[in-house]
Amino acid sequence: MKFFPKTKKLLISSFIFMICFHSLLSQSKSCEPISEDRKIEILLKKIGNFEGSFIRNGELHEAKEAENHLRYKLKEAKTSFFAPDPKDWTAKLFIEKIATKSFLSGTPYKIRYRNGKEVLSSVWLYEELKNIERCP
């Protein structure tokens, strides 16, 4: 079988392109889904490692103290008669029901950075959740 020079160049170029394209696809990392329990755990650790303070009911608390408090609230909520089944908890539900305000007073939790800037914990946590869910 005899090819014309242009056809031969086109076939070789196409073949090289296919090899390069396949190589690029095989090297790209897929984004593995993260379980909701894992997302919650990552959020709790981010809270515990935060370099600043948490404000709960007007009082300052260290980051590790805030993490422990939210772990306690989550544990209690998951065993509550009124709460969703433990397997149905999502990171968003954790933020909404556990990590944004006081159950007793309804006062929103805040985060205070070292520079004195304060933000609602919900704003900070939803931003952190976006970062967790973003593919690397």
Side-chain angles (χ1 to χ4, degrees), residues 52-103:
S53 1
F54 285 76
I55 303 170
R56 190 176 84 233
N57 292 323
E59 294 182 25
L60 287 177
H61 298 273
E62 295 295 319
K64 204 64 174 162
E65 193 180 341
E67 176 189 353
N68 291 338
H69 177 71
L70 294 178
R71 283 184 186 284
Y72 171 77
K73 281 182 69 174
L74 179 62
K75 179 183 167 203
E76 291 297 311
K78 281 186 172 183
T79 58
S80 168
F81 174 75
F82 300 106
D85 190 290
K87 70 181 182 337
D88 294 333
W89 277 85
T90 65
K92 288 181 180 177
L93 188 63
F94 164 73
I95 293 170
E96 181 184 317
K97 300 294 184 190
I98 303 297
T100 58
K101 64 183 177 179
S102 168
F103 175 75

Side-chain angles (χ1 to χ4, degrees), residues 39-50 54 66-67 70 73 91-101 108-111 113 119-133:
K39 290 177 193 177
I40 293 169
E41 183 59 31
I42 292 169
L43 286 171
L44 285 164
K45 287 190 185 285
K46 284 183 174 283
I47 291 165
N49 293 324
F50 180 72
F54 285 76
E67 176 189 353
L70 294 178
K73 281 182 69 174
K92 288 181 180 177
L93 188 63
F94 164 73
I95 293 170
E96 181 184 317
K97 300 294 184 190
I98 303 297
T100 58
K101 64 183 177 179
Y109 294 160
K110 293 180 184 177
I111 291 179
Y113 291 89
V119 295
L120 293 173
S121 66
S122 59
V123 172
W124 185 81
L125 286 164
Y126 279 119
E127 191 61 37
E128 290 298 323
L129 181 58
K130 274 193 240 176
N131 292 334
I132 292 166
E133 292 175 334

